[in-house]
Every structure is written in C-alpha cells, then in structure tokens.
Amino acid sequence: DLYRRIRYHCSEAELRTSQLSPICTSLVEEMEEEIGGFFVYNLENTCNYDIPSHASESLFDSRSDFDQERSEKKSKVDKIFSGDSYGMNHALRARRSLRITVKQRGSGTSGGGAPCPGNVMNEYLSLNTTLDALGVPDDMNFLNLDNGHGFDYTSDQTRVTYIYKKLIEAGKKVLIYEGDTDACGLQTPVIEDIFVPYFDNELKLKKEKWRPFTVDGKKGMGGYVINWAQGQVQFVSIRAAGHLVPINRPIAASVMLNSFLRDEELPRYSTP
C-alpha cells in the first residue's frame, strides 16, 4: 500500500533528487520508519558494527583458557621469527601475533553465512609494532573511510561502455559481476538497462540465455550468468552476496574467477 502511494504521489524524477514535495517527503519518511536499519552494501548483512570487538567472548570455554592458549601460540610465533628486528619477517611476526591476540569475528553474519569482520584491521594498524614494521611514524593514524567529509568525486564520463568495446575488439575476455544483495553497486537493474542493451544492440553480440550456475556442477547454487560471443563477455550475479563478493560467498567467487581464468564455462545446474 505504501509503495503504491509513493508511486502515485512522487514522480520518478522527484525521487531521484532531494527536492521532494511535502506529501512525498512525508511518504518517504514513513517508508524509512517501516524499513528500519540496513547495510546498503549488503541487504542481508546483520552485522552490528557498534559492538566492540571484545563484546562477545571467544570460542574458548572461558577467558582464562583463551588467555593461556593465546600466550602459548604467541610464544611459538615469536620463536619462529626470532632474530628479525626489522623487514619482512618482523612485519609477519607482528601480524601473526596480532591474529592470535585480537578477536577476529564480529557479531552476526555478513550475508551468505559469512562471519562479520570485526575490528581486526583497525586494531592491527593502530599498534606501534605494526607501524614500526611498516616504517610508519608512531603518531600517524589509520582511517578507514568511505565517502568521508570533503570527499569529492566528479565523473567526467556519462558512460564507460566504450572501454568494453575496446577490450572485445582486442580479443580480451570481459567479466562483469555483482552480488545480488548489493544495493549500492552495479545492481542487476543497471545491468539490464545499460550493459545488456549495449552488448545486444550496439555491439550486436550473440547472447546465450540467462541461466543458473553452481559451485559443484550439481545443485549448489552460485548464482546466474549471461554469456555473449560464446563466453568472451560474461555478466555474473552471485546469490546472497553484497558489495564484497569474496567475503560473502568465497567459494562462489573462487569458482567464478577460476572458470574465467581457465576459459571454462561456469558449472551448470543439474536438475534432479
């Protein structure tokens, strides 16, 4: 009902701008209340990034067991790389020690059953031992930002499809892929509205029917694929993956990349 009211009172052009009429503003605010929270890069993500990395306990039975195990493993790592106070081994020792001392899993899942990433990267890159191993001054801070304050990205191209034309004419293979729960990326509608007509009508490439692919050649669904020019050009949609496909569906991502690099078709779905 709310969707129909929005479509009736708000034009497509209006919804693509920030200049909404009073009634459209009210309807959009109502929609936001009904939706609640979501992660724009992965609609299936249930990670709570406000929970500190130590908020949930480790996989060990008790904290004391965890501390003892951590101390023993850290001692082994230190012995393996002892004698290297700088360089590659020093950096590797610092990284492996941190993997032992810092909790690695976040809370919830990031889609497709993948665990949430937690705060490992931020904590690792804030340690003085890490900064020293990388040759970074101790007073430097690591910031992991996306669209930060003052970030200004202005595109000078309305379309980048000409890049694909050059690649195809040069005999190169082309792979375009996306996670089907990514609300802030390629997104399937964009593929359908831009790339499919471009490959179909402008380049006049022969297209194969959209089909499912699997990770095992049987019924383990990986997603869907469209091929043009006998597989020279592919669009692959990964089921239950967001913006970072290898994190959400690592096996499906591996199957996709290996098939592409080996010039093999993606495994077909086998009906029972």
Side-chain angles (χ1 to χ4, degrees):
D1 176 64
L2 178 58
Y3 173 78
R4 288 194 295 270
R5 285 189 286 138
I6 290 175
R7 297 296 297 176
Y8 180 80
H9 292 286
C10 308
S11 67
E12 185 76 22
E14 185 179 10
L15 290 170
R16 292 179 180 273
T17 70
S18 59
Q19 304 299 319
L20 303 179
S21 65
I23 186 171
C24 189
T25 298
S26 177
L27 290 170
V28 170
E29 290 176 351
E30 184 179 347
M31 176 195 70
E32 292 175 347
E33 291 179 1
E34 290 189 3
I35 291 175
F38 66 92
F39 186 47
V40 70
Y41 289 115
N42 187 350
L43 296 179
E44 292 190 357
N45 187 306
T46 62
C47 299
N48 187 344
Y49 294 101
D50 294 328
I51 297 177
S53 62
H54 61 272
S56 53
E57 289 300 321
S58 69
L59 299 180
F60 293 87
D61 293 335
S62 68
R63 190 69 196 179
S64 60
D65 290 338
F66 171 69
D67 290 338
Q68 181 179 355
E69 182 80 5
R70 178 181 63 182
S71 177
E72 293 174 357
K73 288 186 177 180
K74 186 176 185 301
S75 177
K76 291 179 181 179
V77 170
D78 289 341
K79 288 180 180 178
I80 292 173
F81 296 101
S82 61
D84 295 293
S85 58
Y86 59 88
M88 187 70 100
N89 281 346
H90 180 61
L92 184 60
R93 181 172 65 249
R95 179 171 67 88
R96 290 190 175 180
S97 295
L98 184 75
R99 288 180 62 187
I100 294 169
T101 58
V102 176
K103 177 177 163 31
Q104 298 184 61
R105 289 175 180 261
S107 174
T109 63
S110 62
C116 294
N119 296 335
V120 174
M121 181 176 69
N122 291 334
E123 294 186 21
Y124 170 58
L125 292 172
S126 68
L127 294 178
N128 288 336
T129 52
T130 307
L131 298 176
D132 180 57
L134 295 174
V136 178
D138 291 346
D139 59 351
M140 298 295 288
N141 294 320
F142 172 75
L143 299 176
N144 182 21
L145 291 177
D146 184 17
N147 299 328
H149 179 69
F151 180 83
D152 181 20
Y153 177 80
T154 303
S155 175
D156 60 357
Q157 299 290 326
T158 57
R159 295 178 67 183
V160 295
T161 48
Y162 70 91
I163 296 174
Y164 299 99
K165 181 179 180 181
K166 288 183 177 181
L167 291 171
I168 294 168
E169 290 176 345
K172 305 296 184 182
K173 292 191 63 180
V174 173
L175 171 64
I176 304 169
Y177 71 93
E178 58 137 17
D180 66 5
T181 62
D182 179 12
C184 187
L186 285 175
Q187 304 176 33
T188 302
V190 178
I191 296 295
E192 295 173 347
D193 295 342
I194 297 178
F195 288 104
V196 170
Y198 180 71
F199 294 139
D200 283 354
N201 304 326
E202 295 189 38
L203 298 188
K204 300 187 183 303
L205 301 178
K206 185 177 180 180
K207 180 176 67 177
E208 297 176 16
K209 184 180 179 180
W210 165 280
R211 68 168 177 85
F213 80 92
T214 66
V215 297
D216 57 4
K218 299 177 182 177
K219 294 185 290 184
M221 282 293 296
Y224 301 88
V225 58
I226 303 177
N227 287 315
W228 289 268
Q230 296 181 324
Q232 183 184 0
V233 180
Q234 287 184 311
F235 164 62
V236 180
S237 177
I238 307 294
R239 177 182 284 185
H243 204 64
L244 302 177
V245 170
I247 290 180
N248 303 139
R249 294 291 309 280
I251 296 177
S254 177
V255 169
M256 175 185 69
L257 289 175
N258 281 319
S259 296
F260 178 73
L261 294 173
R262 295 169 180 168
D263 198 21
E264 300 173 351
E265 74 167 14
L266 284 165
R268 294 180 176 270
Y269 183 85
S270 177
T271 56

Coordinates of all heavy atoms in Angstrom, one line a residue, residues 147-222:
N147 N 33.4 7.7 1.4 CA 32.7 9.0 1.3 C 32.9 9.9 2.5 O 31.9 10.4 3.1 CB 31.2 8.7 1.0 CG 31.0 7.9 -0.2 OD1 31.7 8.0 -1.2 ND2 30.0 7.1 -0.2
G148 N 34.1 10.1 2.9 CA 34.4 10.9 4.0 C 34.1 12.4 3.8 O 33.9 12.8 2.7
H149 N 34.1 13.2 4.9 CA 33.9 14.6 4.8 C 34.9 15.3 3.8 O 36.1 15.1 4.0 CB 33.9 15.2 6.2 CG 33.7 16.7 6.1 ND1 32.4 17.3 5.9 CD2 34.5 17.8 6.3 CE1 32.5 18.6 5.9 NE2 33.8 18.9 6.2
G150 N 34.4 16.0 2.9 CA 35.3 16.7 1.9 C 35.6 15.8 0.7 O 36.2 16.3 -0.2
F151 N 35.2 14.6 0.7 CA 35.4 13.7 -0.5 C 34.6 14.2 -1.6 O 33.4 14.4 -1.5 CB 35.0 12.3 -0.1 CG 35.3 11.3 -1.2 CD1 36.5 10.8 -1.5 CD2 34.2 10.9 -2.1 CE1 36.7 9.9 -2.5 CE2 34.4 10.0 -3.1 CZ 35.7 9.5 -3.3
D152 N 35.2 14.5 -2.8 CA 34.5 15.0 -3.9 C 34.9 14.2 -5.1 O 36.0 14.3 -5.6 CB 34.9 16.5 -4.1 CG 34.1 17.1 -5.3 OD1 33.1 16.5 -5.7 OD2 34.6 18.1 -5.9
Y153 N 34.0 13.4 -5.6 CA 34.2 12.6 -6.8 C 33.3 13.0 -7.9 O 32.0 12.9 -7.8 CB 33.9 11.1 -6.5 CG 34.1 10.2 -7.7 CD1 35.4 9.8 -8.2 CD2 33.0 9.8 -8.5 CE1 35.5 9.0 -9.3 CE2 33.2 9.0 -9.6 CZ 34.4 8.6 -10.0 OH 34.6 7.9 -11.1
T154 N 33.8 13.6 -8.9 CA 33.0 14.1 -10.0 C 33.4 13.4 -11.3 O 34.6 13.5 -11.8 CB 33.2 15.7 -10.2 OG1 32.9 16.3 -9.0 CG2 32.3 16.2 -11.3
S155 N 32.5 12.6 -11.8 CA 32.8 11.9 -13.0 C 32.8 12.8 -14.3 O 31.9 13.7 -14.4 CB 31.7 10.8 -13.2 OG 31.9 10.1 -14.4
D156 N 33.7 12.5 -15.2 CA 33.7 13.3 -16.4 C 33.2 12.4 -17.6 O 33.4 12.8 -18.7 CB 35.1 13.8 -16.7 CG 36.2 12.7 -16.8 OD1 35.8 11.6 -16.6 OD2 37.3 13.1 -17.2
Q157 N 32.7 11.2 -17.2 CA 32.1 10.3 -18.3 C 30.7 10.0 -17.9 O 30.4 9.6 -16.8 CB 33.0 9.1 -18.3 CG 34.4 9.3 -18.7 CD 34.6 9.7 -20.1 OE1 33.9 9.3 -21.0 NE2 35.6 10.5 -20.4
T158 N 29.8 10.1 -18.9 CA 28.4 9.6 -18.7 C 28.3 8.1 -18.9 O 27.4 7.5 -18.3 CB 27.5 10.4 -19.7 OG1 28.0 10.1 -21.1 CG2 27.5 11.9 -19.5
R159 N 29.2 7.5 -19.7 CA 29.1 6.1 -19.9 C 30.6 5.6 -20.1 O 31.4 6.3 -20.6 CB 28.3 5.7 -21.1 CG 26.9 6.0 -21.0 CD 26.1 5.6 -22.3 NE 26.1 4.2 -22.5 CZ 25.6 3.6 -23.6 NH1 25.0 4.4 -24.6 NH2 25.6 2.3 -23.7
V160 N 30.8 4.4 -19.6 CA 32.2 3.8 -19.8 C 32.1 2.6 -20.6 O 33.1 1.8 -20.6 CB 32.8 3.5 -18.4 CG1 33.0 4.7 -17.6 CG2 31.9 2.5 -17.6
T161 N 31.0 2.4 -21.4 CA 30.9 1.2 -22.2 C 31.9 1.1 -23.3 O 32.2 0.0 -23.7 CB 29.5 1.1 -22.8 OG1 29.2 2.4 -23.4 CG2 28.4 0.8 -21.7
Y162 N 32.5 2.2 -23.7 CA 33.5 2.2 -24.8 C 34.7 1.4 -24.4 O 35.4 0.8 -25.2 CB 33.9 3.6 -25.2 CG 34.7 4.3 -24.1 CD1 36.1 4.3 -24.1 CD2 34.1 5.1 -23.1 CE1 36.9 4.9 -23.2 CE2 34.8 5.7 -22.2 CZ 36.2 5.6 -22.2 OH 36.9 6.3 -21.3
I163 N 35.0 1.3 -23.1 CA 36.1 0.5 -22.6 C 35.9 -1.0 -22.9 O 36.8 -1.6 -23.4 CB 36.3 0.7 -21.0 CG1 36.6 2.1 -20.7 CG2 37.3 -0.3 -20.5 CD1 36.6 2.4 -19.2
Y164 N 34.7 -1.4 -22.8 CA 34.4 -2.9 -23.1 C 34.5 -3.1 -24.6 O 35.0 -4.2 -25.0 CB 33.0 -3.2 -22.5 CG 32.9 -3.1 -21.0 CD1 32.3 -1.9 -20.5 CD2 33.4 -4.0 -20.2 CE1 32.2 -1.8 -19.1 CE2 33.3 -3.9 -18.8 CZ 32.8 -2.8 -18.3 OH 32.7 -2.6 -16.9
K165 N 34.1 -2.1 -25.3 CA 34.2 -2.3 -26.8 C 35.7 -2.5 -27.2 O 36.0 -3.3 -28.0 CB 33.6 -1.1 -27.5 CG 33.6 -1.2 -29.0 CD 33.0 0.0 -29.7 CE 33.1 -0.1 -31.2 NZ 32.5 1.1 -31.9
K166 N 36.6 -1.7 -26.6 CA 38.0 -1.8 -27.0 C 38.5 -3.1 -26.6 O 39.3 -3.7 -27.3 CB 38.8 -0.6 -26.3 CG 38.5 0.8 -26.8 CD 39.4 1.8 -26.1 CE 39.2 3.2 -26.7 NZ 40.1 4.2 -26.0
L167 N 38.1 -3.6 -25.4 CA 38.6 -4.9 -24.9 C 38.2 -6.0 -25.8 O 38.9 -6.9 -26.2 CB 38.1 -5.1 -23.5 CG 38.8 -4.2 -22.4 CD1 38.0 -4.4 -21.1 CD2 40.2 -4.6 -22.2
I168 N 36.9 -6.0 -26.2 CA 36.3 -7.0 -27.0 C 37.0 -7.0 -28.4 O 37.3 -8.1 -28.9 CB 34.8 -6.8 -27.2 CG1 34.1 -7.1 -25.8 CG2 34.2 -7.8 -28.2 CD1 32.7 -6.6 -25.7
E169 N 37.2 -5.8 -29.0 CA 37.8 -5.7 -30.3 C 39.3 -6.2 -30.2 O 39.8 -6.7 -31.2 CB 37.8 -4.3 -30.8 CG 36.4 -3.8 -31.2 CD 36.3 -2.4 -31.6 OE1 37.3 -1.7 -31.3 OE2 35.3 -2.0 -32.2
A170 N 39.9 -6.1 -29.1 CA 41.3 -6.6 -28.9 C 41.3 -8.0 -28.6 O 42.4 -8.6 -28.4 CB 42.0 -5.8 -27.8
G171 N 40.2 -8.7 -28.5 CA 40.1 -10.1 -28.3 C 40.2 -10.5 -26.8 O 40.5 -11.7 -26.5
K172 N 40.1 -9.5 -25.9 CA 40.2 -9.8 -24.5 C 38.8 -10.4 -24.0 O 37.8 -10.1 -24.5 CB 40.5 -8.6 -23.7 CG 41.8 -7.9 -24.2 CD 43.0 -8.7 -24.0 CE 44.3 -8.0 -24.4 NZ 45.5 -8.8 -24.2
K173 N 38.9 -11.1 -22.9 CA 37.7 -11.6 -22.2 C 37.2 -10.5 -21.2 O 38.0 -9.8 -20.6 CB 38.0 -12.9 -21.5 CG 38.2 -14.1 -22.4 CD 38.2 -15.4 -21.6 CE 36.8 -15.6 -21.0 NZ 36.8 -16.9 -20.3
V174 N 35.9 -10.4 -21.1 CA 35.3 -9.4 -20.2 C 34.4 -10.1 -19.2 O 33.6 -11.0 -19.5 CB 34.5 -8.4 -21.0 CG1 33.7 -7.5 -20.0 CG2 35.4 -7.6 -21.9
L175 N 34.6 -9.8 -17.9 CA 33.8 -10.4 -16.8 C 33.2 -9.2 -16.0 O 34.0 -8.4 -15.5 CB 34.6 -11.3 -15.9 CG 33.9 -11.7 -14.6 CD1 32.6 -12.6 -14.9 CD2 34.8 -12.5 -13.7
I176 N 31.9 -9.1 -15.9 CA 31.2 -8.1 -15.1 C 30.5 -8.9 -14.0 O 29.7 -9.8 -14.4 CB 30.3 -7.2 -15.9 CG1 31.0 -6.5 -17.0 CG2 29.6 -6.2 -15.0 CD1 30.1 -5.9 -18.0
Y177 N 30.7 -8.6 -12.8 CA 30.0 -9.4 -11.8 C 29.4 -8.5 -10.7 O 29.9 -7.4 -10.5 CB 30.9 -10.5 -11.2 CG 32.0 -10.0 -10.3 CD1 31.8 -10.0 -8.9 CD2 33.2 -9.7 -10.8 CE1 32.8 -9.5 -8.1 CE2 34.2 -9.3 -10.0 CZ 34.0 -9.2 -8.6 OH 35.1 -8.8 -7.8
E178 N 28.5 -9.0 -9.9 CA 27.9 -8.3 -8.8 C 27.3 -9.3 -7.8 O 27.0 -10.4 -8.1 CB 26.7 -7.4 -9.3 CG 25.7 -8.2 -10.0 CD 24.3 -7.8 -9.7 OE1 24.1 -6.7 -9.2 OE2 23.3 -8.5 -10.0
G179 N 27.1 -8.8 -6.6 CA 26.4 -9.5 -5.6 C 24.9 -9.1 -5.7 O 24.6 -7.9 -5.8
D180 N 24.0 -10.0 -5.6 CA 22.6 -9.7 -5.9 C 21.9 -9.0 -4.7 O 20.7 -8.6 -4.8 CB 21.8 -10.9 -6.4 CG 21.6 -12.0 -5.3 OD1 22.1 -11.8 -4.2 OD2 21.1 -13.0 -5.7
T181 N 22.6 -8.9 -3.5 CA 22.0 -8.1 -2.4 C 22.8 -6.8 -2.2 O 22.6 -6.2 -1.1 CB 22.1 -9.0 -1.1 OG1 23.4 -9.3 -0.8 CG2 21.3 -10.3 -1.3
D182 N 23.6 -6.4 -3.2 CA 24.3 -5.1 -3.1 C 23.3 -4.0 -3.6 O 23.0 -4.0 -4.7 CB 25.5 -5.2 -3.9 CG 26.3 -3.9 -3.9 OD1 26.0 -3.0 -3.1 OD2 27.2 -3.7 -4.7
A183 N 23.0 -3.1 -2.7 CA 22.1 -2.0 -3.1 C 22.8 -0.8 -3.5 O 22.2 0.3 -3.7 CB 21.1 -1.7 -1.9
C184 N 24.2 -0.9 -3.5 CA 25.0 0.3 -3.8 C 26.1 -0.1 -4.7 O 27.3 0.0 -4.3 CB 25.5 1.0 -2.6 SG 26.3 2.6 -2.8
G185 N 25.8 -0.6 -5.8 CA 26.9 -1.1 -6.7 C 26.4 -1.2 -8.1 O 25.6 -0.4 -8.6
L186 N 26.8 -2.2 -8.8 CA 26.3 -2.4 -10.2 C 24.8 -2.6 -10.2 O 24.1 -1.9 -11.0 CB 27.0 -3.6 -10.9 CG 28.4 -3.4 -11.3 CD1 29.0 -4.7 -11.8 CD2 28.5 -2.4 -12.4
Q187 N 24.3 -3.5 -9.4 CA 22.9 -3.8 -9.3 C 22.3 -4.4 -10.6 O 22.7 -3.9 -11.7 CB 22.0 -2.6 -8.9 CG 22.5 -1.9 -7.6 CD 21.7 -0.7 -7.3 OE1 20.6 -0.6 -7.6 NE2 22.4 0.3 -6.7
T188 N 21.5 -5.4 -10.5 CA 21.0 -6.1 -11.7 C 20.2 -5.1 -12.6 O 20.4 -5.2 -13.8 CB 20.1 -7.3 -11.3 OG1 20.9 -8.1 -10.5 CG2 19.6 -8.0 -12.5
P189 N 19.4 -4.2 -12.1 CA 18.6 -3.3 -13.0 C 19.6 -2.5 -13.9 O 19.3 -2.2 -15.0 CB 17.8 -2.4 -12.0 CG 17.6 -3.2 -10.8 CD 18.9 -4.0 -10.7
V190 N 20.7 -2.0 -13.3 CA 21.7 -1.3 -14.1 C 22.2 -2.2 -15.3 O 22.4 -1.7 -16.4 CB 22.8 -0.7 -13.3 CG1 23.8 0.0 -14.1 CG2 22.2 0.2 -12.2
I191 N 22.5 -3.4 -14.9 CA 23.0 -4.3 -15.9 C 21.9 -4.5 -17.0 O 22.3 -4.4 -18.2 CB 23.3 -5.7 -15.3 CG1 24.4 -5.6 -14.3 CG2 23.6 -6.7 -16.4 CD1 25.8 -5.2 -14.9
E192 N 20.7 -4.7 -16.6 CA 19.6 -4.8 -17.6 C 19.4 -3.6 -18.4 O 19.1 -3.7 -19.6 CB 18.3 -5.2 -16.9 CG 18.4 -6.6 -16.2 CD 17.2 -6.9 -15.4 OE1 16.4 -6.0 -15.1 OE2 17.0 -8.0 -14.9
D193 N 19.6 -2.4 -17.8 CA 19.3 -1.2 -18.5 C 20.4 -0.7 -19.4 O 20.2 0.1 -20.4 CB 18.9 -0.1 -17.5 CG 17.6 -0.4 -16.8 OD1 16.8 -1.3 -17.3 OD2 17.4 0.2 -15.7
I194 N 21.6 -1.0 -19.1 CA 22.8 -0.5 -19.8 C 23.6 -1.5 -20.5 O 23.7 -1.5 -21.8 CB 23.7 0.3 -18.8 CG1 23.0 1.5 -18.2 CG2 25.0 0.7 -19.5 CD1 23.8 2.3 -17.2
F195 N 24.1 -2.5 -19.8 CA 25.0 -3.4 -20.4 C 24.4 -4.4 -21.4 O 24.9 -4.7 -22.4 CB 25.8 -4.2 -19.3 CG 26.9 -3.4 -18.6 CD1 26.6 -2.9 -17.4 CD2 28.0 -3.0 -19.3 CE1 27.6 -2.1 -16.7 CE2 29.0 -2.2 -18.7 CZ 28.8 -1.8 -17.4
V196 N 23.2 -5.0 -20.9 CA 22.5 -5.9 -21.8 C 22.1 -5.3 -23.1 O 22.5 -5.8 -24.2 CB 21.3 -6.5 -21.1 CG1 20.5 -7.3 -22.1 CG2 21.7 -7.4 -20.0
P197 N 21.5 -4.1 -23.2 CA 21.2 -3.5 -24.4 C 22.4 -3.1 -25.2 O 22.4 -3.2 -26.5 CB 20.4 -2.2 -24.0 CG 19.8 -2.5 -22.7 CD 20.9 -3.4 -22.0
Y198 N 23.5 -2.7 -24.5 CA 24.7 -2.3 -25.2 C 25.3 -3.5 -25.9 O 25.7 -3.4 -27.1 CB 25.7 -1.8 -24.2 CG 27.0 -1.3 -24.8 CD1 27.1 -0.2 -25.6 CD2 28.2 -2.1 -24.6 CE1 28.3 0.2 -26.2 CE2 29.4 -1.7 -25.2 CZ 29.5 -0.6 -26.0 OH 30.6 -0.2 -26.6
F199 N 25.5 -4.6 -25.2 CA 26.1 -5.8 -25.9 C 25.1 -6.4 -26.9 O 25.6 -6.9 -28.0 CB 26.4 -6.9 -24.8 CG 27.5 -6.5 -23.9 CD1 27.4 -6.8 -22.5 CD2 28.6 -5.8 -24.3 CE1 28.3 -6.4 -21.6 CE2 29.6 -5.4 -23.4 CZ 29.5 -5.7 -22.1
D200 N 23.8 -6.3 -26.7 CA 22.8 -6.9 -27.6 C 22.7 -6.0 -28.9 O 22.8 -6.5 -30.0 CB 21.5 -7.0 -26.9 CG 21.4 -8.1 -26.0 OD1 22.3 -8.9 -25.9 OD2 20.3 -8.2 -25.3
N201 N 22.4 -4.7 -28.7 CA 22.0 -3.9 -29.8 C 23.1 -3.1 -30.4 O 23.2 -3.0 -31.6 CB 20.9 -2.9 -29.3 CG 19.7 -3.6 -28.7 OD1 19.4 -4.7 -29.1 ND2 19.1 -3.1 -27.6
E202 N 24.0 -2.5 -29.6 CA 25.1 -1.7 -30.2 C 26.2 -2.5 -30.7 O 26.7 -2.3 -31.8 CB 25.6 -0.7 -29.1 CG 24.5 0.3 -28.7 CD 25.1 1.5 -27.9 OE1 26.2 1.9 -28.2 OE2 24.4 1.9 -27.0
L203 N 26.7 -3.5 -29.9 CA 27.8 -4.3 -30.4 C 27.3 -5.6 -31.1 O 28.1 -6.3 -31.8 CB 28.6 -4.8 -29.2 CG 29.3 -3.7 -28.4 CD1 30.3 -4.3 -27.4 CD2 30.1 -2.7 -29.3
K204 N 26.0 -5.8 -31.0 CA 25.3 -6.9 -31.7 C 26.0 -8.3 -31.5 O 26.3 -9.1 -32.4 CB 25.2 -6.6 -33.2 CG 24.4 -5.4 -33.5 CD 24.2 -5.2 -35.0 CE 23.5 -3.9 -35.3 NZ 22.2 -3.8 -34.6
L205 N 26.3 -8.5 -30.2 CA 26.9 -9.8 -29.9 C 25.8 -10.8 -29.6 O 24.8 -10.5 -29.1 CB 27.7 -9.6 -28.6 CG 28.9 -8.6 -28.6 CD1 29.6 -8.6 -27.2 CD2 29.9 -9.0 -29.7
K206 N 26.1 -12.0 -30.0 CA 25.2 -13.1 -29.8 C 25.1 -13.5 -28.4 O 26.1 -13.8 -27.7 CB 25.6 -14.3 -30.7 CG 24.5 -15.5 -30.6 CD 24.9 -16.6 -31.5 CE 23.9 -17.7 -31.5 NZ 24.3 -18.9 -32.3
K207 N 23.9 -13.5 -27.8 CA 23.7 -13.7 -26.4 C 23.1 -15.1 -26.1 O 22.2 -15.6 -26.9 CB 22.8 -12.7 -25.8 CG 22.5 -12.8 -24.3 CD 21.7 -11.7 -23.8 CE 20.3 -11.7 -24.4 NZ 19.4 -10.6 -23.8
E208 N 23.6 -15.7 -25.1 CA 23.1 -17.0 -24.6 C 22.0 -16.7 -23.5 O 22.1 -15.7 -22.9 CB 24.2 -17.9 -24.1 CG 25.2 -18.3 -25.1 CD 26.3 -19.2 -24.5 OE1 26.1 -19.7 -23.4 OE2 27.3 -19.3 -25.2
K209 N 21.1 -17.6 -23.3 CA 20.0 -17.4 -22.3 C 20.6 -17.3 -20.9 O 21.5 -18.0 -20.6 CB 19.1 -18.6 -22.4 CG 17.8 -18.5 -21.6 CD 16.9 -19.7 -21.7 CE 15.7 -19.6 -20.8 NZ 14.8 -20.7 -21.0
W210 N 20.0 -16.4 -20.1 CA 20.4 -16.3 -18.7 C 20.1 -17.6 -18.0 O 19.1 -18.3 -18.2 CB 19.4 -15.2 -18.1 CG 19.3 -15.1 -16.6 CD1 18.5 -15.9 -15.8 CD2 19.9 -14.2 -15.8 NE1 18.6 -15.5 -14.5 CE2 19.5 -14.4 -14.5 CE3 20.8 -13.1 -16.0 CZ2 19.9 -13.7 -13.4 CZ3 21.2 -12.4 -14.9 CH2 20.8 -12.7 -13.6
R211 N 21.1 -18.1 -17.3 CA 21.0 -19.4 -16.7 C 21.6 -19.5 -15.3 O 22.5 -18.6 -15.0 CB 21.6 -20.5 -17.6 CG 23.2 -20.4 -17.6 CD 23.8 -21.6 -18.3 NE 25.2 -21.5 -18.4 CZ 26.1 -21.9 -17.4 NH1 25.6 -22.3 -16.3 NH2 27.4 -21.8 -17.7
P212 N 21.2 -20.4 -14.5 CA 21.9 -20.6 -13.2 C 23.2 -21.3 -13.3 O 23.4 -22.0 -14.3 CB 20.9 -21.5 -12.4 CG 20.2 -22.3 -13.5 CD 20.1 -21.4 -14.7
F213 N 24.1 -21.0 -12.4 CA 25.4 -21.7 -12.3 C 25.5 -22.2 -10.9 O 25.0 -21.7 -9.9 CB 26.6 -20.9 -12.8 CG 27.1 -20.0 -11.8 CD1 28.1 -20.3 -10.9 CD2 26.6 -18.7 -11.7 CE1 28.6 -19.4 -10.0 CE2 27.1 -17.8 -10.8 CZ 28.2 -18.2 -9.9
T214 N 26.4 -23.2 -10.7 CA 26.6 -23.8 -9.4 C 28.0 -23.8 -9.0 O 28.9 -23.5 -9.8 CB 26.1 -25.3 -9.4 OG1 26.9 -26.1 -10.3 CG2 24.6 -25.4 -9.9
V215 N 28.3 -24.2 -7.8 CA 29.7 -24.3 -7.3 C 30.2 -25.7 -7.4 O 31.4 -25.9 -7.1 CB 29.8 -23.7 -5.8 CG1 29.4 -22.3 -5.8 CG2 28.9 -24.6 -4.9
D216 N 29.3 -26.6 -7.7 CA 29.7 -28.1 -7.6 C 29.3 -28.8 -8.9 O 29.5 -30.1 -9.0 CB 29.1 -28.7 -6.4 CG 27.6 -28.6 -6.3 OD1 27.0 -28.1 -7.3 OD2 27.0 -29.1 -5.3
G217 N 28.7 -28.2 -9.9 CA 28.2 -28.9 -11.0 C 26.9 -29.7 -10.8 O 26.5 -30.5 -11.6
K218 N 26.3 -29.5 -9.6 CA 25.1 -30.2 -9.3 C 24.0 -29.3 -8.9 O 23.4 -28.6 -9.8 CB 25.4 -31.2 -8.1 CG 26.5 -32.2 -8.5 CD 26.8 -33.1 -7.3 CE 27.9 -34.1 -7.6 NZ 28.3 -35.0 -6.4
K219 N 23.7 -29.1 -7.6 CA 22.6 -28.2 -7.2 C 23.1 -27.1 -6.2 O 22.2 -26.4 -5.7 CB 21.5 -29.0 -6.6 CG 20.8 -30.0 -7.6 CD 19.6 -30.7 -7.0 CE 20.1 -31.7 -6.0 NZ 18.9 -32.5 -5.4
G220 N 24.4 -27.0 -6.0 CA 24.9 -26.0 -5.1 C 24.9 -24.6 -5.8 O 25.9 -24.3 -6.4
M221 N 23.8 -23.8 -5.6 CA 23.7 -22.6 -6.4 C 24.8 -21.6 -6.1 O 25.1 -21.3 -4.9 CB 22.3 -22.0 -6.1 CG 21.2 -22.6 -6.8 SD 21.4 -22.4 -8.6 CE 21.2 -20.6 -8.7
G222 N 25.4 -21.1 -7.1 CA 26.3 -20.0 -7.0 C 25.7 -18.7 -7.4 O 25.9 -17.6 -6.8

